């Protein structure tokens, strides 16, 4: 009788896991659809059918029916932690007026916070009105339907530098970014991600090409956290940045740090062995592992395995690839 009850309990738990797995791909979007209107001053239609941010995670959910009840419970706890949606908040606390010989404009300081992070993961960037305007035009081209009811603060002929107008735009741009981020297609789009990260990445790669590795590394480490959170559904997207960090650490003679970031990059290429960074990264990691006295034979085996499957081709070094990124 006790054995039958135990088996029944396992079957019920399996059914519960299956139900939760099915519903997990919709719950985050329900939370967003029920977001208080006070947080977003702009209005947008909510009838878009969109893929959920947790779709990539849910595809891995395949609990084995031979698991014990305790193993199933632990399995599901781990999956929920991995699939927990990261949400970002946007604040524009201050501005500064920039004056050049023939131009004058306002720079808006944007602080991007991860919910529940207590400011430990915040990113700080600056953008001007023309940057927002360009983003809006680009998004209208690709997402005309989603952007149909999104308003954008218009230019004024006079008074652009008055405290009143600047404060109005601070609030408008904050609500604008929050609204864009609330729409899954847009927040995952390259144009939105580029708006938040590309200027800093361009500066970092420019420093890297100029041999200013310390400055490049400083910028890359600032932007990598934000870039990772924005591209969570596409782990390979941040591989170029991780590899640029490897190059900087290596040239600054920090092999241990270079190896650490190289491992992070390799973990994201586990199922992307055809990625253009994969072989150059393996080559670099073998060199670093040998220098640090770590196991390099497993890395060497992966390299040899790849070579047997591919035709001999010209492969760039990791540094050669890095300096080609973000060339205008």
């Amino acid at each position: 009788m006790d054995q039958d009850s135990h088996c029944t309990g396992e079957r019920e738990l399996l059914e519960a896991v299956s139900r939760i797995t099915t519903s997990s791909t919709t719950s985050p979007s329900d939370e967003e659809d029920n977001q208080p209107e006070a947080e977003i001053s702009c209005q947008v239609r909510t009838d878009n059918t969109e893929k959920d941010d947790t779709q990539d995670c849910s595809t891995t959910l395949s609990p084995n029916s031979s698991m014990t009840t305790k193993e199933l419970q632990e399995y599901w706890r781990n999956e929920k932690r991995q699939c927990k949606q990261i949400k970002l908040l946007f604040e524009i606390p201050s501005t500064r007026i920039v004056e050049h010989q023939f131009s004058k404009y306002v720079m808006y300081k944007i602080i991007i916070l991860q919910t529940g992070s207590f400011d430990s993961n915040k990113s700080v960037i600056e953008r001007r009105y023309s940057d927002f305007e360009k983003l809006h035009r680009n998004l209208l081209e690709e997402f005309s339907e989603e952007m149909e009811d999104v308003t954008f603060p218009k230019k004024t002929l006079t008074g652009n530098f008055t405290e009143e107008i600047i404060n109005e735009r601070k609030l408008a741009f904050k609500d604008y970014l929050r609204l864009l981020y609330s729409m899954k297609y847009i927040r995952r789009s390259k144009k939105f991600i580029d708006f938040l990260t590309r200027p800093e990445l361009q500066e970092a790669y420019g420093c890297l090409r100029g041999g200013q590795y310390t400055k490049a590394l400083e910028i890359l480490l600032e932007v990598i956290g934000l870039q990772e959170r924005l591209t969570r559904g596409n782990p390979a997207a941040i591989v170029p940045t991780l590899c640029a960090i490897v190059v900087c650490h290596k040239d600054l003679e920090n092999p241990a740090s270079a190896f650490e970031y190289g491992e992070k990059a390799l973990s994201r290429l586990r199922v992307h062995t055809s990625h253009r960074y994969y072989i150059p990264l393996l080559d670099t990691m073998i060199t670093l592992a040998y220098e640090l006295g770590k196991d390099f034979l497993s890395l060497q085996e992966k390299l040899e395995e790849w070579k047997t499957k591919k035709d001999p081709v010209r492969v760039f070094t990791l540094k050669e690839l890095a300096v080609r990124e973000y060339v205008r």
Side-chain angles (χ1 to χ4, degrees):
M1 183 70 176
D2 291 340
Q3 185 176 1
D4 292 341
S5 300
H6 180 68
C7 294
T8 301
E10 285 194 6
R11 283 197 299 272
E12 290 176 352
L13 183 57
L14 275 169
E15 292 172 0
V17 170
S18 178
R19 286 195 299 272
I20 297 172
T21 300
T22 303
S23 63
S24 70
T25 60
T26 57
S27 57
S29 61
D30 293 340
E31 291 176 7
E32 290 182 358
D33 290 342
N34 294 328
Q35 190 176 4
E37 291 185 4
E39 289 190 5
I40 299 175
S41 63
C42 308
Q43 297 296 318
V44 66
R45 290 185 303 171
T46 59
D47 59 349
N48 294 331
T49 55
E50 299 169 329
K51 296 181 180 179
D52 195 274
D53 282 346
T54 59
Q55 182 177 1
D56 295 329
C57 296
S58 65
T59 57
T60 66
L61 297 176
S62 54
N64 192 313
S65 59
S66 65
M67 287 181 177
T68 65
T69 301
K70 184 177 180 180
E71 287 172 339
L72 281 166
Q73 290 172 336
E74 182 61 27
Y75 172 89
W76 183 242
R77 277 195 293 269
N78 290 334
E79 288 296 339
K80 284 206 296 184
R81 280 196 292 266
Q82 291 175 11
C83 295
K84 186 177 180 181
Q85 183 185 5
I86 292 175
K87 291 188 178 180
L88 300 180
L89 304 176
F90 299 87
E91 298 293 338
I92 304 181
S94 62
T95 61
R96 64 186 179 94
I97 297 176
V98 178
E99 292 190 64
H100 295 300
Q101 186 175 1
F102 300 107
S103 64
K104 182 179 178 181
Y105 53 87
V106 179
M107 293 294 290
Y108 296 84
K109 181 179 181 180
I110 306 168
I111 297 179
I112 305 161
L113 301 164
Q114 180 177 321
T115 52
S117 65
F118 304 104
D119 290 350
S120 61
N121 292 317
K122 71 179 180 181
S123 299
V124 181
I125 60 176
E126 282 189 317
R127 298 293 182 266
R128 55 189 289 187
Y129 181 95
S130 60
D131 296 324
F132 282 96
E133 192 176 39
K134 181 180 178 181
L135 170 66
H136 192 69
R137 286 198 309 268
N138 289 338
L139 292 177
L140 282 173
E141 291 175 1
E142 187 173 350
F143 304 101
S144 57
E145 187 175 345
E146 290 86 347
M147 296 287 293
E148 186 177 1
D149 297 322
V150 178
T151 58
F152 186 81
K154 296 180 179 179
K155 281 184 177 179
T156 58
L157 295 177
T158 59
N160 284 308
F161 301 100
T162 63
E163 185 177 355
E164 181 182 2
I165 293 295
I166 290 174
N167 286 334
E168 285 179 2
R169 286 183 175 172
K170 277 169 54 179
L171 294 174
F173 283 143
K174 180 176 73 171
D175 288 342
Y176 178 73
L177 289 173
R178 286 181 176 182
L179 178 55
L180 294 182
Y181 184 76
S182 73
M183 294 184 279
K184 297 184 189 72
Y185 283 152
I186 290 179
R187 74 163 169 261
R188 286 189 161 199
S189 71
K190 185 177 185 300
K191 291 175 180 177
F192 182 67
I193 294 170
D194 278 352
F195 169 80
L196 295 172
T197 61
R198 189 177 182 88
E200 286 71 25
L201 288 171
Q202 284 179 326
E203 182 183 0
Y205 280 97
C207 292
L208 192 156
R209 283 188 289 273
Q212 299 175 312
Y213 301 115
T214 301
K215 180 63 175 176
L217 184 60
E218 178 185 336
I219 300 170
L220 290 168
L221 291 175
E222 282 286 328
V223 76
I224 186 68
L226 174 60
Q227 192 182 23
E228 185 172 14
R229 294 194 293 275
L230 289 168
T231 60
R232 189 166 180 257
N234 181 14
I238 65 166
V239 166
T241 307
L242 288 171
C243 288
I245 293 174
V246 171
V247 169
C248 289
H249 273 306
K250 190 171 182 295
D251 280 23
L252 289 170
E253 299 183 357
N254 301 325
S257 297
F259 191 83
E260 176 190 347
Y261 280 93
E263 285 188 314
K264 291 179 181 180
L266 273 182
S267 70
R268 286 160 172 79
L269 294 179
R270 220 170 262 142
V271 294
H272 301 283
T273 56
S274 61
H275 196 284
R276 61 197 172 95
Y277 271 88
Y278 182 67
I279 294 306
L281 179 59
L282 270 182
D283 266 329
T284 300
M285 290 295 284
I286 291 169
T287 302
L288 289 169
Y290 182 80
E291 183 179 347
L292 294 167
K294 295 179 178 289
D295 171 35
F296 63 89
L297 293 178
S298 58
L299 296 169
Q300 188 70 47
E301 287 173 2
K302 290 179 182 178
L303 182 61
E304 295 301 325
E305 181 184 356
W306 184 90
K307 287 180 178 178
T308 61
K309 294 179 180 178
K310 301 288 184 179
D311 295 328
V313 292
R314 162 79 165 96
V315 177
F316 291 107
T317 66
L318 198 66
K319 188 172 183 178
E320 286 173 338
L321 276 182
V323 299
R324 283 168 167 77
E325 295 286 347
Y326 293 95
V327 176
R328 297 189 181 191

